[in-house]
Amino acid sequence: MTTQMKELEDPMALITQMYPCIYTQVAPQQGEISKPRRRRKKNKGGESGAETAAETAKKRKLSQEQVDLLELNFGNEHKLESERKDRLASELGLDPRQVAVWFQNRRARWKNKKLEEEYSKLKTIHEGVVVEKCRLESEVLKLKNQLREAEKEIQGLTERVDGVSSNSPSSSSGLSMEAVDPPPFLGEFGVQGFEDQDVFYIGQNSYINGMEWMNLYM
DNA sequence: GAACACCGCTATTTACATCA
DNA sequence: ATGATGTAAATAGCGGTGTT
């Protein structure tokens, strides 16, 4: 087995997993038992009917011209009907069987190439997704930190308000925001018109204060 | 439905070319 | 010169399909 084919083992699994509908004919479905192929015996030669080395050598390696014409035909149509096979064979001075074998091998090479292309495409997409995941995770961390800060702010404000109201019961009519720093946690979620108050919008035109929001959503 | 031929596919072998 | 390695051609075995 070549190194290229070894490299394809994982890609195949990956692609099959991601596109089961596309590659069902390529790889066995999950749960499907792939029969172990019976191992082929080596033909050590010397049998009756075996060709001489010279005859075998003569058959080897098609000429560039033959390959060019075969490639041209393959480019037009990957499948080979018997009529076209016979015509090509006579044009090229080859056995129809050789033409069929050439197309068979060419299809296998083409398929391998396609799989490699598909694999590198999926790999690129996967890398992008991983980067995006990292970005979102750090965003989550950042937001959690912001939330923690907001909690502290709310806690501080609550304590100060409690202190003020217990010290001067006459001022129970409302908060005196002059003494309080603007609540930073509203940030980009701040509601127009409520910039100076610790309120959150919870939809349907309802607004609640920070502690209630915390109780609801934390 | 069994037997057969034909075809395509995958895995493997074989022969050759190239390179260190 | 030679062994390792890659590649193309060829083969084996299997399954699917159409025909008789």
Side-chain angles (χ1 to χ4, degrees), chain A residues 25-166:
Chain A
Q25 77 276 35
V26 174
Q29 296 275 41
Q30 235 184 4
E32 186 179 322
I33 300 152
S34 53
K35 270 191 203 166
R37 186 177 285 261
R38 210 191 314 164
R39 190 156 182 97
R40 209 176 117 191
K41 286 180 210 146
K42 282 184 186 178
N43 181 9
K44 285 288 178 186
E47 302 291 321
S48 60
E51 289 164 325
T52 66
E55 280 169 333
T56 308
K58 242 191 280 177
K59 278 200 236 173
R60 293 248 143 228
K61 207 76 182 164
L62 306 180
S63 72
Q64 191 55 51
E65 210 172 300
Q66 288 170 323
V67 172
D68 288 346
L69 189 53
L70 285 164
E71 285 286 357
L72 197 67
N73 272 269
F74 184 80
N76 292 336
E77 173 68 57
H78 292 191
K79 297 269 175 174
L80 187 66
E81 323 79 59
S82 58
E83 198 179 314
R84 193 157 72 108
K85 178 176 69 184
D86 293 339
R87 184 169 45 78
L88 254 177
S90 71
E91 269 181 57
L92 295 164
L94 294 171
D95 192 294
R97 173 75 192 150
Q98 279 179 291
V99 176
V101 165
W102 188 90
F103 265 74
Q104 196 58 63
N105 287 322
R106 188 66 182 81
R107 277 195 294 270
R109 289 198 293 274
W110 182 82
K111 189 175 170 183
N112 265 343
K113 195 176 152 228
K114 281 280 156 202
L115 281 172
E116 281 181 41
E117 284 171 7
E118 192 70 20
Y119 169 64
S120 68
K121 259 193 255 169
L122 287 172
K123 200 175 160 201
T124 305
I125 292 169
H126 176 255
E127 281 162 4
V129 168
V130 167
V131 167
E132 177 66 3
K133 180 175 174 271
C134 285
R135 194 189 67 74
L136 289 171
E137 279 172 355
S138 76
E139 178 91 9
V140 165
L141 277 179
K142 204 178 100 188
L143 290 171
K144 278 183 175 169
N145 281 336
Q146 279 184 14
L147 193 57
R148 214 170 291 124
E149 290 302 313
E151 280 179 44
K152 279 189 208 160
E153 284 285 338
I154 291 165
Q155 191 68 33
L157 284 172
T158 310
E159 282 165 10
R160 288 170 76 170
V161 167
D162 287 348
V164 165
S165 56
S166 64

Side-chain angles (χ1 to χ4, degrees), chain A residues 1-13 116 119:
Chain A
M1 187 182 268
T2 65
T3 50
Q4 252 185 339
M5 287 179 81
K6 274 181 189 162
E7 278 170 12
L8 273 173
E9 283 172 2
D10 280 344
M12 279 290 287
E116 281 181 41
Y119 169 64

